[in-house]
Amino acid sequence: MGTVDGAGRRGPLRAAVVWLLVALNVATYFFLQYGGLTLEIERSIEFRCTAEEYGLVPAELAHPGRRATDVFCEPGVSTEEEEEEDHEHARSDARMPADAPAAITPFTAMVMHGSALHLALTMLVAAVLGLRLARELHPLAVPALYLLGGLVTAAALVGLAPDMGIANVGASGAVAALLGAALRRFPRENLTWFAIPVLVLALLAAGAQVLIAGLDLAQPVAGDGGGVVYWVPLAGLAIGWLVSGARR
């Protein structure tokens, strides 16, 4: 009678961890951010205010006590009465701290996205890479790499642009860590049903990042002045490559 090894028994668990990570991002977009099925940046007040509160603002971390504000989230400001009535969370005064502490925003920002297109592009790459990595690493390695990549990318952004007052969201740095690990451990493998080589997938991921940058999807509130955010995922790529270790 054949036997089932430990990796085989843990296979469904490893895949489940990856899909739970994807589900967390999807749930955050639709239920915390009030996101819709849009290709461009969401424009609703709820979406803008949530991004301002839970997105990563480098200036808030580099200069404790400083808080970014959005005119649409200030008290009594509304262009349509219906939007004011539908706004489900209290607006903060521009001179008062937001409800969410700045310290949690590096964590919350990495599961937030600027549009449904932004969400789909990053989660597609995350699922493809995560499922393959989960087959040979510890079940918690994929979320650990995701978290580490997101935090390192956030630290790089704060270090490079400490005065940036723009709220940034997105999982590009976190997913880049998964890509770095894949490039380190199995750079010549083919992934997905379409047998896409990892190196080609890396180029496709870079193209997706260019598209995200072109549409400025990582900055739902303010558009200009934060282009560096689209380059710092390279820090996530580097840390993923460094910590994953070559395949034995």
Side-chain angles (χ1 to χ4, degrees):
M1 180 180 293
T3 60
V4 179
D5 62 16
R9 289 194 299 269
R10 293 192 299 268
L13 171 62
R14 297 179 183 215
V17 170
V18 176
W19 289 119
L20 284 173
L21 182 61
V22 172
L24 173 62
N25 281 264
V26 173
T28 299
Y29 177 74
F30 287 106
F31 298 111
L32 174 65
Q33 296 184 254
Y34 306 96
L37 297 175
T38 61
L39 298 182
E40 296 184 347
I41 294 175
E42 277 280 353
R43 301 296 181 184
S44 70
I45 288 182
E46 290 85 355
F47 195 88
R48 291 174 64 103
C49 294
T50 303
E52 194 68 69
E53 186 166 357
Y54 293 100
L56 173 66
V57 181
E60 292 183 349
L61 293 170
H63 307 284
R66 184 182 298 184
R67 306 298 298 192
T69 59
D70 180 8
V71 63
F72 290 100
C73 299
E74 294 178 11
V77 178
S78 179
T79 56
E80 294 183 18
E81 197 65 27
E82 297 80 15
E83 292 178 333
E84 179 70 24
E85 293 174 356
D86 291 340
H87 193 65
E88 297 182 4
H89 53 279
R91 303 183 183 191
S92 300
D93 189 299
R95 295 173 297 279
M96 296 292 289
D99 295 333
I104 74 169
T105 58
F107 299 91
T108 55
M110 72 174 76
V111 293
M112 299 173 68
H113 295 81
S115 75
L117 176 63
H118 190 193
L119 173 69
L121 288 174
T122 52
M123 288 303 100
L124 179 61
V125 177
V128 169
L129 295 173
L131 290 171
R132 176 61 187 89
L133 287 166
R135 284 166 51 189
E136 62 178 80
L137 301 177
H138 189 278
L140 297 180
V142 172
L145 279 169
Y146 184 98
L147 179 63
L148 180 62
L151 293 177
V152 168
T153 299
L157 181 59
V158 173
L160 291 171
D163 296 321
M164 183 190 296
I166 300 172
N168 300 277
V169 300
S172 294
V175 174
L178 303 183
L179 180 58
L183 289 170
R184 179 77 182 273
R185 296 188 69 86
F186 37 83
R188 297 179 179 84
E189 282 197 18
N190 297 330
L191 302 180
T192 78
W193 294 287
F194 302 103
I196 301 175
V198 171
L199 290 175
V200 174
L201 186 62
L203 293 175
L204 292 175
Q209 184 68 1
V210 170
L211 177 60
I212 290 170
L215 296 175
D216 208 12
L217 297 180
Q219 296 167 338
V221 178
D224 298 324
V228 66
V229 71
Y230 299 108
W231 297 103
V232 291
L234 290 172
L237 181 75
I239 197 65
W241 192 89
L242 286 171
V243 304
S244 60
R247 177 190 286 177
R248 296 178 180 178

